[in-house]
């Protein structure tokens, strides 16, 4: 505690003598002597400056407090996400990727354009990628461990996915944009084509380990036959029916037996 003294008497430097009255008001103490002089003593508290570590800690606490106090919005509605992706597929199949606009997409989905950007800030490319990935059915396939049954299971999922509205039309859109937007075809391969092929190849690799197919079997060609059969059948006579999956698997396996 530091003290600072100031003379307030009209007679400068007058001896003070012995104090007779002492009066304390807040941080000031007034001392009156018998000669009429007054001495005002101010007591000022010295507050040390906080260290840099203390300042950073206070700043972090303030930021955390502000962040914690921010009201959380309502969770996103799944039906809106579904409407946006379905709208993107519809517009791309109808107009093509190059002519698709975010305004058309929002109108097709029945939402506002800010709602689309809130979920897909990357714009048209990001929402188109998500829509392409939607063509592939989600969820894990419960494989049985039996080669034929598992191959039929995967091909049936492929058939159902391509039979959905704009399934095959979207493939045509992606191929049509190959020269102008090659990134779209790359994303289609990564998000749709490769996962399907990987699952089929895994089934064949396990069959190879169990000795159910020839050791020199070309698994890539076998996968091409399994998947390509759908596109060939579609172009020849329209969407394949429910018997296509089993018939295709039986034909391919027959050529792989030892």
């Amino acid at each position: 505690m530091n003290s600072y003294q100031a003379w307030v008497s009209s007679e400068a430097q007058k001896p003070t003598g012995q104090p007779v009255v002492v009066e304390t008001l807040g941080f000031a103490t007034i001392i009156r002597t018998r000669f009429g002089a007054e001495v005002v003593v101010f007591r000022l508290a010295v507050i040390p400056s906080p260290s840099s570590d203390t300042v950073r800690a206070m700043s972090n606490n303030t930021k955390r407090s502000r962040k914690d106090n921010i009201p959380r919005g309502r969770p996103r509605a799944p039906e809106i996400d579904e409407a946006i992706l379905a709208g993107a597929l519809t517009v791309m199949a109808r107009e093509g990727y190059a002519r698709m606009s975010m305004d058309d997409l929002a109108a097709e989905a029945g939402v506002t354009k800010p709602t689309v950007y809130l979920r897909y800030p990357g714009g048209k490319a990001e929402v188109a990628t998500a829509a392409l990935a939607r063509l592939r059915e989600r969820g894990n396939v419960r494989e049985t461990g039996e080669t034929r049954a598992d191959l039929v299971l995967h091909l049936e999922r492929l058939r159902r996915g391509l039979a959905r509205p704009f399934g095959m039309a979207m493939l045509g859109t992606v191929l049509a944009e190959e020269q102008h937007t090659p990134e779209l075809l790359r994303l289609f391969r990564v998000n749709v084509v490769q996962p399907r092929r990987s699952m089929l190849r895994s089934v064949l690799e396990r069959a190879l380990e169990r000795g159910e197919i020839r050791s020199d079997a070309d698994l890539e060609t076998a996968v091409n036959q399994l998947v390509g059969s759908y596109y060939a059948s579609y172009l020849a006579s329209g969407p394949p029916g429910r018997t296509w999956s089993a018939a295709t698997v039986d034909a391919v396996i027959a050529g792989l037996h030892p």
Side-chain angles (χ1 to χ4, degrees), residues 36-101:
E38 292 184 352
V39 178
V40 181
V41 180
F42 296 96
R43 291 181 297 279
L44 303 177
V46 178
I47 303 176
S49 300
S51 65
S52 58
D53 291 339
T54 303
V55 172
R56 282 194 296 269
M58 294 172 63
S59 176
N60 292 336
N61 289 336
T62 301
K63 291 179 181 178
R64 281 195 297 268
S65 177
R66 290 176 179 173
K67 183 177 180 180
D68 294 340
N69 290 332
I70 294 176
R72 300 182 183 276
R74 291 179 297 177
R76 294 179 180 175
E79 60 271 17
I80 294 180
D81 293 331
E82 186 70 14
I84 292 174
L85 296 179
L89 291 175
T90 301
V91 175
M92 277 195 290
R94 185 180 64 224
E95 305 292 342
Y97 175 79
R99 291 175 295 277
M100 181 180 75
S101 70

Side-chain angles (χ1 to χ4, degrees), residues 6-16 35-39:
W7 287 94
V8 297
S9 173
S10 58
E11 299 180 27
Q13 298 182 355
K14 184 176 181 180
T16 59
F35 298 107
E38 292 184 352
V39 178

